[in-house]
Amino acid sequence: MSLSRRSFIAAPLAIPAVARFGAAQAQTPRDVVVFARHIGDILSLDPAEAYEFSSNEVCTNCYRKLVRPYGATIRGDLAESWEVSPDRLRFTFKLRPGQVFDGGAPVTADDVAFSLQRAVILGKPPSFILTQFGFDKSNAASRIRATDPGTVTIELTDARATSFVLYCLSANVASILEKKRVLANERDGDLGNQWLKGHSAGAGPFRLIGYNANEQVTLEANPNHATPVQLRRILIRHVPDSSVQFLMLQRGDADIARDIDADRIKTLRNDANFNLVSSGQGTQMYISMNTSVPELSKPQVHEAVKWAIDYDGIAENVTPGTWSVHQAFLPAGMPGSIADRPYRRDVARAKQLLAEAGYPDGFAIEVDHYGSPPFFDVAQALQRNLADVGIRASLLSADPRQVLTKSRQRTSKMALLRWSTDYFDPNSNAQYFCENDDNSENNQLRVMAWRSHWIDPELTAAVRQAAREADDAKRIAIYEDMQRQHFKRGPTSFLLQRNEVAVLRRGVTGLQLGLTADYTRYEAIQKS
């Protein structure tokens, strides 16, 4: 799920007064939970289009998929079992009997085939997760089909690793919708897209009954869900300001806050009135270096930047508890991730590398970064670190949309960015940071390696090999080696991985935070 592949909406101004939410309450109703969080990134709640953090999280609680990951294991969700042909081109899924949508209609293979075909045909941004297996508008109906009411067959055009295919089928874009209800709300051939921006037609634990942009999402318990949930309703209120979220918790106007700042979180850890739930996220903060810029063209400079950074100091003093040091391109928790930390702050070593590159006195460079916290503060810390080795960084703070536009247009020199994995498979990150064999403007795979004007034939070949490797153990070994090679050669310095912390009022339990927004679950939430 990436800010570089998805749209981003800038955070609105802080709410001017908590009074907007009404008078103070002792507590919200026992069967209702109120979230206070930033949901200004939501553009659509149609799972074939939803591609932002907040929208993916809402969708995953309203829909089910064929399969779901549980750590490094993939298990059936709507699928009871599946078979893969010896050539790895045909996947056949048998559905669990007795599964129903929130309106009571049974889930059929026809619904499954329609949902996957629909995502391909609509061609919205997340559709690439499916189309990378050879599906397009012309062949989706023939390659994704129901062979009987309880069986779905998916035929690829090219053999890929089985785990790669299954992880992609667990992504939000592969959510299963009720065909009849979606088509009943079709407008001008849009396959229900406009209607699904604010409604749901799924089989998840909740159903969407209301959405007002930049205000609120309202979910209601699905009365037909296989496992009944404790809550009657969930209200997700758009509260972009951390201090307002905190005040709402104190007043009892909110049960769960999702964007409390690091300083307040530290003060709440020993407060018996609140519980903290945390989870590592597949979101990373990194520095990109454009190798078309003369000063950034040499590997010694990339290494010098990596040795200049005080990783632990930034994590401890700027992002305590909310971002931790992680230096590999696969985030902790992702299959194939490694915990190696080859770099630490070493000023003398960084200066020596700059001298070897022909810059004994350093150089001046512009660094683009998001103007929002914590990026602004991290950028200032990096500016000080780089100055100590002779790199004079001019910080260019801007709205994330502007920073991303420069990065996509390859006009950034250096940039402090963030990346979130698009789907729960190592190919997502490996491809983004390593695969590039064409620096021209004709390249359709405009990932970070391309944006950095960086070509590494060995790593590009490894990305493609791993995506097709049938043996899971060998596949993981390829990714582990790729990360260690990228440490040495990549024009990217990974700094931190996000640790999301949710603050819950006393008596509220059961929120399950996931590595990605697709796997954050509400169904076990309850209040005592």
Side-chain angles (χ1 to χ4, degrees):
M1 230 178 280
S2 83
L3 280 175
S4 30
R5 283 181 183 161
R6 72 195 63 181
S7 302
F8 187 94
I9 299 297
L13 294 175
I15 296 171
V18 180
R20 169 176 177 174
F21 297 100
Q25 302 174 17
Q27 187 170 323
T28 57
R30 187 169 180 176
D31 59 353
V32 175
V33 157
V34 177
F35 281 81
R37 66 169 303 186
H38 188 310
I39 57 170
D41 59 332
I42 295 178
L43 298 178
S44 173
L45 291 169
D46 178 348
E49 183 176 30
Y51 205 32
E52 288 69 44
F53 298 99
S54 302
S55 51
N56 274 9
E57 185 174 308
V58 170
C59 286
T60 204
N61 286 282
C62 294
Y63 296 93
R64 296 173 66 184
K65 295 101 173 176
L66 284 170
V67 293
R68 283 178 59 187
Y70 292 78
T73 303
I74 303 172
R75 302 178 188 173
D77 187 3
L78 288 174
E80 184 175 53
S81 63
W82 57 89
E83 294 180 356
V84 183
S85 62
D87 60 7
R88 291 179 286 129
L89 292 175
R90 183 183 300 107
F91 288 69
T92 303
F93 295 88
K94 292 287 186 181
L95 300 185
R96 297 183 190 277
Q99 304 302 299
V100 297
F101 290 106
D102 58 41
V107 177
T108 70
D110 191 40
D111 294 304
V112 174
F114 164 78
S115 300
L116 301 179
Q117 294 167 9
R118 176 180 178 273
V120 171
I121 292 168
L122 285 175
K124 302 295 183 180
S127 66
F128 84 92
I129 297 173
L130 299 178
T131 59
Q132 64 187 327
F133 300 115
F135 308 127
D136 57 35
K137 294 180 181 180
S138 67
N139 67 21
S142 61
R143 292 191 172 274
I144 306 171
R145 62 188 188 276
T147 53
D148 65 47
T151 307
V152 179
T153 298
I154 300 175
E155 294 183 351
L156 314 186
T157 59
D158 185 26
R160 300 298 179 92
T162 296
S163 56
F164 178 24
V165 177
L166 293 175
Y167 278 128
C168 287
L169 289 174
S170 76
N172 187 54
V173 71
S175 297
I176 307 307
L177 295 75
E178 184 183 348
K179 177 180 178 180
K180 182 178 180 180
R181 188 146 42 119
V182 170
L183 292 181
N185 289 281
E186 186 176 29
R187 301 177 188 172
D188 300 321
D190 73 345
L191 295 176
N193 175 249
Q194 288 300 315
W195 182 75
L196 283 166
K197 289 178 184 288
H199 302 82
S200 63
F206 293 91
R207 57 186 177 188
L208 176 65
I209 63 170
Y211 167 60
N212 296 314
N214 290 330
E215 291 185 16
Q216 182 169 292
V217 172
T218 304
L219 303 179
E220 182 179 79
N222 173 5
N224 294 299
H225 191 247
T227 305
V229 297
Q230 297 295 314
L231 299 177
R232 175 175 58 89
R233 184 165 292 186
I234 291 178
L235 306 177
I236 307 172
R237 289 179 167 170
H238 177 54
V239 186
D241 188 87
S242 174
S243 61
V244 178
Q245 289 190 20
F246 181 60
L247 191 51
M248 288 178 68
L249 279 177
Q250 291 181 310
R251 289 163 53 100
D253 293 329
D255 301 291
I256 300 173
R258 297 288 296 279
D259 305 295
I260 300 296
D261 61 78
D263 288 337
R264 283 195 176 88
I265 286 173
K266 284 201 300 185
T267 67
L268 293 173
R269 290 194 181 277
N270 297 315
D271 190 329
N273 292 309
F274 302 98
N275 299 313
L276 273 61
V277 175
S278 63
S279 173
Q281 300 285 289
T283 301
Q284 295 166 276
M285 192 183 304
Y286 66 98
I287 298 171
S288 70
M289 291 170 265
N290 190 333
T291 64
S292 70
V293 177
E295 294 87 347
L296 302 176
S297 62
K298 297 183 179 180
Q300 296 97 321
V301 174
H302 309 155
E303 284 273 301
V305 169
K306 295 171 186 178
W307 285 108
I309 299 169
D310 183 6
Y311 301 90
D312 289 314
I314 292 173
E316 293 170 7
N317 299 309
V318 182
T319 64
T322 55
W323 294 77
S324 56
V325 178
H326 187 78
Q327 296 180 350
F329 69 68
L330 287 180
M334 177 72 70
S337 176
I338 60 175
D340 299 26
R341 286 183 51 179
Y343 298 104
R344 65 185 185 281
R345 180 163 168 78
D346 189 329
V347 172
R349 190 167 185 173
K351 286 183 174 180
Q352 178 184 347
L353 286 162
L354 286 176
E356 292 174 5
Y359 299 101
D361 299 320
F363 55 84
I365 198 77
E366 294 176 344
V367 180
D368 294 289
H369 68 90
Y370 304 157
S372 56
F375 298 92
F376 181 82
D377 297 319
V378 172
Q380 289 187 317
L382 289 172
Q383 183 183 46
R384 293 190 292 270
N385 290 168
L386 294 174
D388 289 342
V389 304
I391 299 176
R392 299 173 295 282
S394 299
L395 300 183
L396 303 179
S397 178
D399 176 89
R401 187 191 301 274
Q402 296 171 294
V403 175
L404 290 171
T405 297
K406 287 186 69 174
S407 174
R408 291 168 180 160
Q409 294 175 344
R410 304 205 282 184
T411 56
S412 286
K413 296 178 181 178
M414 289 180 67
L416 177 65
L417 303 167
R418 76 169 173 177
W419 162 262
S420 291
T421 186
D422 282 316
Y423 47 89
F424 197 83
D425 186 88
N427 182 74
S428 178
N429 286 30
Q431 183 182 68
Y432 188 70
F433 290 104
C434 299
E435 184 175 351
N436 182 29
D437 60 5
D438 178 7
N439 263 335
S440 76
E441 294 299 319
N442 296 322
N443 192 342
Q444 296 301 305
L445 189 66
R446 300 189 171 200
V447 293
M448 181 50 64
W450 175 85
R451 295 174 192 175
S452 300
H453 288 271
W454 182 62
I455 292 179
D456 187 301
E458 182 182 345
L459 285 176
T460 295
V463 173
R464 295 169 180 173
Q465 177 190 357
R468 291 168 171 78
E469 175 56 58
D471 185 294
D472 285 342
K474 291 181 180 178
R475 186 171 185 243
I476 292 300
I478 294 172
Y479 288 118
E480 290 175 346
D481 181 67
M482 285 176 62
Q483 290 168 91
R484 295 187 172 104
Q485 295 303 317
H486 190 268
F487 281 140
K488 303 173 185 177
R489 305 200 295 270
T492 309
S493 177
F494 287 88
L495 313 178
L496 305 167
Q497 179 174 343
R498 187 184 180 201
N499 181 51
E500 183 177 1
V501 181
V503 181
L504 287 62
R505 282 175 59 86
R506 183 171 58 188
V508 181
T509 60
L511 174 64
Q512 300 172 9
L513 298 177
L515 185 72
T516 71
D518 296 41
Y519 307 118
T520 291
R521 310 290 296 186
Y522 302 160
E523 60 209 73
I525 298 176
Q526 55 185 309
K527 295 167 69 173
S528 60

